[in-house]
Amino acid sequence: MEDTRSVASLMDSTSSKIQQLQKAFAELESQRAVTLNLKWKELEEHFHGLERSLKRRFHELEDQEKEYETKTRQAQELLEKRRQQLQKKRDAAVFAINSALVKYKDAPISITSVCERLEDSPNALVADGTDENPDGTVQDAGISPEVKAYPQLLKLCGDMDSAGLHKFVSDNRKNLASLKEEIPVAFRSAANPASLVLDSLEGFYPMEAPNADGKKDANLLGMRRTCIMLMECLSILLSGLDSNSLAAVLSDNVKQRAKTIAEGWNPLLETLDMDACNGNSLEAHAFLQLLATFAIVSDFKEDELLKLIPMVSRRRQAAELCRSLGLSEKMPGVIEVLLNSGKQIDAVNLAFAFELTEQFPPVELLKSYMTEARRSTSQGGPGNASAAVQDEFNEKELTGLKAVAKCVEEHSLEEQYPIEPLQKRILQLEKAKAEKKRATEPTKPQTKRPRGAQPRVTDNHNNNNNNKTGYGRVIPERYPQYVYDNRPFLNGPIMTAQAPPPPPQTYTFSPAAAAHGNFYGNCYQYHQAPPPPYFH
């Protein structure tokens, strides 16, 4: 901070020094004999420009310093929280061990001794006896792993049931995030977690059709994704073990078995087409993850591995996978291959992941990608291609626009590459796509119903005992439908909706008959009398 203040004071004194220089220059100019080409205004503008540049750079450095201090403080706070959590876990472990020793009438151990032991080796309680554990089992202190959401995982891992584990993951694929958190913990219940994962790889390439296309078989596709996830979860477990426990889990027998599987998979990868994979090959990802998880990278040629990276460049785990394989120094060459194959977005993502943005400017790469996409789209214009080809070009352009917009947002490049024009074009293409889809769909005829309430007309052609009046009987909800509505001088939808009525019936009413007889809700009695004319 003292250096910063000194630099700031020097910058503040710049104006006074420029004034002194102006006076000296004026004195020199008054005594000069030959006209100088440079004028004082030019020199003054030059020095003021230097002053502004220095100040701007100085403020940038100040902002960076503040940001660094903020990150440092946050990291220290996070470290302190983790220390507190670790201390709680240590106390809980000591309490559980003491309880177990008291239960079996052994002398309790002191908390101090256990803590000292944990400081020397944080996993000492778990790793005891691993030197005499050639089978790769994970020893624990009798404390069952804490699996909250899916306790079934403990039983499946404890039983070494790889088939059941596969089925459980497939049935709960909608909750992959919580599964990936709990599976590494559940692996501690397995007698040999590495062997359990290797068992789960059986069937990755079906024996009856080893070259089957996983994209066309939904079951095979899901099974391969599960295999990759289980290997990733095992890597998470291994990253938390000390050297002794790690050597016990990844024993020589386990590594040899993993190497045998990898050697069987390797020839099948030669048939893969990099362009057809589109940077999203599960086969290549599984092979590289197998080498990284089981630490057998050195048994395969580096050039062969580098050829597979473009086949997985679009996958979310690509950068971490390259680090695990020890290929970080080779990434500039990989990015060049991606650029030459038209995968600028994948190249930008890897450039950010490996801090190579100065060598590969992301904005320029994205703009070149969009230029190429527009060029290919213009070649498929209405005058040069059929409607089907034009739709294909539009779909490619829409996919590219969405990918570029997502990349700009993920890496906070909005100031250098505004995405508003991209979003407008996306909306335009999506609207055109929706309108064309509606135009190609078959139109369904819609029957028009007359306006207003319509009477429910019954069959008037059968004159039986259930229909004594012969008229279409209407039962309204609140008000009765008077029979005068069917008079011939009324013109309306009621007359057109009903069939021609039979000869009218006589309606009479007497107070004596009100106590018994057949009446409508409008107080008119009906009977089978000869039909006289209507009366009012």
Side-chain angles (χ1 to χ4, degrees):
M1 292 299 294
E2 198 163 319
D3 295 338
T4 304
R5 287 194 293 270
S6 62
V7 171
S9 61
L10 289 174
M11 291 180 63
D12 293 337
S13 63
T14 305
S15 300
S16 60
K17 293 187 179 297
I18 292 177
Q19 292 177 358
Q20 294 175 5
L21 182 61
Q22 184 180 7
K23 292 179 181 179
F25 187 81
E27 184 179 356
L28 177 64
E29 198 173 37
S30 61
Q31 299 177 1
R32 64 186 172 88
V34 183
T35 303
L36 298 177
N37 293 328
L38 294 177
K39 300 297 183 181
W40 167 246
K41 291 293 182 183
E42 297 177 356
L43 287 175
E44 186 179 22
E45 183 178 356
H46 172 69
F47 282 115
H48 281 303
L50 291 177
E51 181 184 9
R52 288 192 297 269
S53 177
L54 287 173
K55 286 184 177 180
R56 184 174 61 254
R57 184 56 181 164
F58 177 72
H59 293 317
E60 290 178 357
L61 291 174
E62 279 187 332
D63 294 339
Q64 292 178 2
E65 183 181 10
K66 291 179 182 178
E67 183 180 359
Y68 173 75
E69 291 176 353
T70 303
K71 289 183 178 180
T72 303
R73 184 175 61 258
Q74 292 176 351
Q76 290 176 349
E77 292 175 356
L78 181 61
L79 182 61
E80 184 62 29
K81 289 181 180 179
R82 290 184 176 177
R83 285 176 179 173
Q84 294 176 0
Q85 293 175 356
L86 180 60
Q87 186 61 41
K88 291 180 181 179
K89 291 181 180 180
R90 288 177 176 177
D91 295 342
V94 172
F95 178 77
I97 294 173
N98 275 327
S99 300
L101 292 176
V102 170
K103 181 178 179 181
Y104 291 101
K105 298 181 181 180
D106 291 334
I109 60 177
S110 65
I111 295 179
T112 305
S113 61
V114 175
C115 291
E116 291 175 354
R117 201 168 160 206
L118 285 172
E119 288 176 358
D120 295 336
S121 178
N123 295 302
L125 294 176
V126 178
D128 281 350
T130 51
D131 294 337
E132 300 177 359
N133 183 21
D135 297 330
T137 59
V138 178
Q139 306 277 341
D140 57 27
I143 306 171
S144 61
E146 186 179 2
V147 179
K148 296 180 179 179
Y150 301 102
Q152 304 95 316
L153 289 172
L154 293 176
K155 185 177 186 307
L156 293 172
C157 295
D159 295 342
M160 296 289 289
D161 186 0
S162 60
L165 186 59
H166 256 287
K167 185 178 184 304
F168 184 83
V169 173
S170 299
D171 293 343
N172 296 276
R173 185 162 291 278
K174 293 182 179 180
N175 302 315
L176 282 182
S178 58
L179 278 176
K180 289 195 71 172
E181 291 179 359
E182 297 201 351
I183 288 178
V185 182
F187 274 158
R188 292 183 177 273
S189 301
N192 193 332
S195 295
L196 176 62
V197 173
L198 291 176
D199 292 341
S200 70
L201 302 180
E202 184 178 355
F204 189 91
Y205 286 98
M207 297 295 296
E208 61 277 6
N211 293 322
D213 188 0
K215 296 180 180 179
K216 298 180 181 179
D217 189 343
N219 293 329
L220 182 59
L221 181 66
M223 192 273 290
R224 287 177 173 176
R225 287 176 175 170
T226 301
C227 290
I228 293 173
M229 191 190 76
L230 292 177
M231 286 191 286
E232 291 174 348
C233 291
L234 180 61
S235 297
I236 295 173
L237 172 67
L238 297 177
S239 64
L241 299 179
D242 62 356
S243 57
N244 292 332
S245 299
L246 183 62
V249 176
L250 296 182
S251 61
D252 293 339
N253 294 335
V254 169
K255 286 187 176 181
Q256 183 59 41
R257 186 181 170 192
K259 181 181 177 181
T260 302
I261 295 174
E263 289 174 347
W265 287 3
N266 196 18
L268 299 174
L269 298 175
E270 297 177 358
T271 60
L272 294 178
D273 184 6
M274 185 176 72
D275 295 332
C277 293
N278 199 23
N280 194 25
S281 171
L282 292 178
E283 295 89 340
H285 186 181
F287 177 78
L288 295 175
Q289 189 66 56
L290 178 65
L291 303 189
T293 300
F294 291 91
I296 54 174
V297 182
S298 59
D299 296 327
F300 295 85
K301 296 181 179 179
E302 188 179 73
D303 294 341
E304 295 179 356
L305 304 183
L306 291 172
K307 292 179 181 178
L308 298 177
I309 299 300
M311 297 184 183
V312 298
S313 58
R314 186 158 295 182
R315 298 192 64 78
R316 173 178 50 82
Q317 307 93 329
E320 187 60 32
L321 194 58
C322 292
R323 292 190 184 95
S324 301
L325 295 169
L327 302 178
S328 299
E329 297 181 357
K330 303 293 183 179
M331 294 316 297
V334 173
I335 294 176
E336 289 286 355
V337 172
L338 293 174
L339 293 176
N340 295 333
S341 58
K343 297 180 178 179
Q344 286 89 342
I345 295 179
D346 297 345
V348 169
N349 291 331
L350 289 179
F352 272 101
F354 291 93
E355 299 180 355
L356 297 173
T357 52
E358 293 185 1
Q359 185 175 352
F360 302 97
V363 176
E364 294 182 9
L365 296 181
L366 293 176
K367 288 182 178 179
S368 67
Y369 176 80
M370 289 307 305
T371 302
E372 184 64 28
R374 292 191 186 98
R375 184 183 297 114
S376 62
T377 304
S378 62
Q379 295 175 357
N384 300 329
S386 62
V389 176
Q390 180 63 35
D391 291 342
E392 183 180 354
F393 277 113
N394 290 343
E395 188 65 28
K396 288 183 179 179
E397 182 184 2
L398 181 60
T399 303
L401 287 168
K402 289 182 178 179
V404 171
K406 181 181 178 182
C407 184
V408 170
E409 291 177 350
E410 286 181 350
H411 301 297
S412 303
L413 298 173
E414 289 88 351
E415 293 184 0
Q416 305 174 49
Y417 196 162
I419 62 174
E420 286 79 8
L422 302 179
Q423 293 174 343
K424 290 180 180 179
R425 180 58 178 164
I426 290 172
L427 292 175
Q428 182 182 357
L429 291 174
E430 288 181 340
K431 183 179 179 181
K433 181 179 178 182
E435 291 177 351
K436 188 164 188 179
K437 183 178 180 181
R438 285 196 298 267
T440 55
E441 289 180 351
T443 57
K444 298 181 180 180
Q446 297 182 355
T447 58
K448 293 184 178 181
R449 300 180 60 183
R451 296 181 179 179
Q454 299 298 316
R456 291 178 290 179
V457 181
T458 58
D459 188 4
N460 296 330
H461 297 287
N462 297 327
N463 188 11
N464 50 29
N465 295 330
N466 295 329
N467 188 7
K468 295 183 179 180
T469 64
Y471 286 94
R473 187 178 181 186
V474 180
I475 305 176
E477 293 183 0
R478 292 187 60 184
Y479 303 104
Q481 178 67 41
Y482 290 93
V483 295
Y484 302 112
D485 290 344
N486 285 331
R487 286 176 292 179
F489 56 82
L490 292 176
N491 294 323
I494 297 178
M495 294 301 298
T496 58
Q498 294 182 347
Q505 306 291 333
T506 301
Y507 292 88
T508 60
F509 176 80
S510 63
H516 58 278
N518 296 325
F519 292 90
Y520 279 111
N522 54 10
C523 300
Y524 287 98
Q525 184 186 18
Y526 62 88
H527 59 85
Q528 303 290 336
Y534 285 105
F535 69 94
H536 300 283

